[in-house]
Amino acid sequence: MRANGDKLVWASTHVDCSPRCFPWQGRLYSLDGSYGTTDTGVSYQPLENAVNVPYTTKAGKTYMNGLLGFNCRHRLIPYKDEQQPPKGYTKAQTVQAYGIDLQQRAMEREIRRVKERAHLLKGVEDVKDGEISKLFAQARNMTQAYRKFCRDNNRVAMIYRTQVTVEEQEYNQRRQHTVYNDVVDKSTGEIITSAGTHFDKVRLIGGDGGGNFRDKDLKQSQLGGNPLHYRKMSGIIKQSGKNVDTVHWVQDGRVNKIEEKDYTKQVKKK
């Protein structure tokens, strides 16, 4: 900005600003160390005043951690004549929004804590039967509550922040990019559900490198790719907004292609 000849810059604003940055956001700063007032009556001060704010950690180490410090999301905007300042927020608005952020992070940490305990218990000989499954079920319920909290408070659910293993990250990434194509009853040619239909409670039944994939008649030529990537999935769909059916299908996680199999005898009416 200095190279472009900019002398003054605004600090951007956002409602969920941290207490550290709140006193400095939305203000006008100089890049040449000067103090003054614009023709429109806006006062400015050196940017260094907002940036070089000392912060001492519990370990006794001191950093300059003011505006534009660690994890700061503010940015600088070149000042133009007669330009209006960035939108401002009251202290109450910021405290409320920042509190929502803190709650969201706390929920993410708790989900990770439960998952970590479940993984750590694997291989422990004296673990009670079902204890690990209960922990994973608890984590799933907590994740649902987390998603609802984010929706209710207009926040993006950062699911990747709740992941604790590489396998979980890879599985969620594949699931996120899976394109659900038509599921067809081969005996009648009837389309059970059309492309893009939402599947609720999608879960992995078998496969994906595991040892419980039982479809021995499924040949590699049917799907292509690596058979170790095959997955048997289950999901719940609605037809005409009334009936709810459980549908099973087989897909290749590498290419996200669904193998159309006749599961009509296995469909369960709910």
Side-chain angles (χ1 to χ4, degrees), residues 141-178:
N141 292 335
M142 294 170 69
T143 301
Q144 291 180 359
Y146 168 73
R147 289 182 182 275
K148 183 178 185 304
F149 174 85
C150 292
R151 289 194 303 269
D152 293 344
N153 291 280
N154 195 27
R155 292 290 190 273
V156 177
M158 304 292 189
I159 297 300
Y160 72 91
R161 289 175 175 166
T162 69
Q163 298 169 348
V164 296
T165 66
V166 174
E167 290 79 7
E168 183 183 12
Q169 296 170 13
E170 292 176 348
Y171 172 76
N172 285 332
Q173 186 175 24
R174 285 195 300 270
R175 177 176 173 180
Q176 179 180 355
H177 291 89
T178 296

Side-chain angles (χ1 to χ4, degrees), residues 228-263:
L228 293 178
H229 293 157
Y230 293 169
R231 290 179 282 166
K232 178 183 282 189
M233 307 294 291
S234 172
I236 297 178
I237 62 172
K238 288 187 176 181
Q239 293 179 327
S240 302
K242 296 180 179 180
N243 295 332
V244 179
D245 297 334
T246 299
V247 180
H248 299 82
W249 67 90
V250 176
Q251 67 188 46
D252 182 343
R254 182 181 63 85
V255 297
N256 294 327
K257 178 181 179 182
I258 286 185
E259 166 68 9
E260 298 170 350
K261 293 182 66 65
D262 182 6
Y263 282 115

Side-chain angles (χ1 to χ4, degrees), residues 70-99:
F70 301 131
N71 300 317
C72 180
R73 290 178 286 150
H74 289 95
R75 61 189 179 89
L76 302 178
I77 306 167
Y79 172 80
K80 305 298 181 183
D81 291 339
E82 306 298 329
Q83 188 180 44
Q84 294 296 316
K87 180 180 180 180
Y89 299 97
T90 66
K91 181 75 171 181
Q93 288 175 316
T94 302
V95 168
Q96 180 182 13
Y98 187 61

